[in-house]
Amino acid sequence: MAREWPLWEIFIRSQNGLNHRHVGSLHAPDAETAIHNARDVYTRRKEGVSIWVVRSADITASRPSEKGPLFDPAEDKVYRHPTFYDIPDDVGHM
Amino acid sequence: MYAQMVKSEASNDDPGMLAAFQARIDRGDKIEPKEWMPEGYRKTLIRQISQHAHSEIVGQLPEGNWITRAPTLQRKAILLAKVQDEAGHGLYLYSAAETLGISRDEMFEQLHSGRAKYSSIFNYPTLTWADMGAVGWLVDGAAIMNQVPLQRTSYGPYSRAMIRICKEESFHQRQGYHIMMKMARGTEAQREMAQDALDRFWYPALMMFGPSDKDSVHSQQSMAWKIKINTNDELRQRFVNETVPQAEFLGLTVPDPELRWNPDKEGYDFSQPDWDEFFEVLKGNGPCNRERLGARVRAWEDGAWFREGLTAYADKAAQRRAGAATAAE
């Protein structure tokens, strides 16, 4: 059986001013073809103005089991949010 | 539906883990690819999503038949766009299934060898142009009925694929109904074609939802996991309730003498399709099973030289880049 084409993750900027956003993935033999295929698969209705393709194998992801150690430390730092501070109405808009 | 009679798999996982997983589903958490999930959940989803993907791919064939025969250039362009969407829907779903640990080639192999199923509806022939109307109106209509609730399914990639598909699918149903309107208001011969298409597609469309699953263990498990949201009977009833007035608007007759409004249940009473026929079609004995699968396998095999050529080109280009990088050092 022939070798399977690598998987690419597709990111699309829907309009200037916005981030590229992950929309899905597809198989393609190389980056150029991945962009062409992404055009056909993910932007048939003008959903984008720019496409990034990244080989899925090149993405390093955090492990779901590490969710606690990674993200819990932010949980008890409510003072990072503006609503933590009571400012009297008399001060005006701040 | 596009995925019919998906058997759920039993899980031999730790009961504590299973209970914690079920609690996550119950409180509306989405499950994402690398997270822990019961083996049964994974396997059932692979079966369901790949079956759905196969249906999108095979579903191109009955319509592909009419691309070169469309009555106007605009209808041809529209049909091409619809068939291209279906290819896209197949690809979204294959990608979603791959996040569960099955490869694209494995899924293709399962389809081509006949081990994997696709929706029974695509094993019926499309004999006239009116069938393009009936397919869009009824077949895509039935698909939407099932896919809209699946946008809320518990598996993240599946849910995202369904959201994307639903956005595009509504054009499919409306273009089909538009064809039916044109035919039903055309010449007498055209009206007859429209009626004939409705006659032939009505019961196969009802079969798409699968047999009653009131007592099915598989359905109960899948519903607990939120990979199935409504029972087959609920969706079929909803489909009939919505479609009958649309047929009346066209001035066409639904081919069911038992069909009547039942005010007590706020819905129509209707006849069940011939379930023996359904099981025969699933077994491979429908009018077009061999033709559909044959066409699909032939397309895959005939395209092999092209896929291999692109791979060879990619390899060569990569070597050339590596060579240039070495020379530059």
Side-chain angles (χ1 to χ4, degrees), chain B residues 14-24:
Chain B
D14 171 61
M17 302 272 275
L18 280 175
F21 180 80
Q22 189 60 50
R24 289 191 61 194

Side-chain angles (χ1 to χ4, degrees), chain A residues 3-5 25 27 44-45, chain B residues 85 95 98 105 168 311:
Chain A
R3 201 167 85 226
E4 192 173 279
W5 286 344
S25 51
H27 288 269
R44 287 193 302 283
R45 288 174 178 76
Chain B
D85 272 355
S95 295
E98 282 178 85
D105 280 353
E168 300 179 344
T311 305

Side-chain angles (χ1 to χ4, degrees), chain A residues 10-23 49-53:
Chain A
I10 311 301
F11 299 81
I12 298 208
R13 185 201 297 285
S14 58
Q15 61 184 71
N16 278 12
L18 296 179
N19 290 318
H20 282 78
R21 189 167 162 219
H22 183 243
V23 293
V49 294
S50 162
I51 300 174
W52 287 351
V53 300

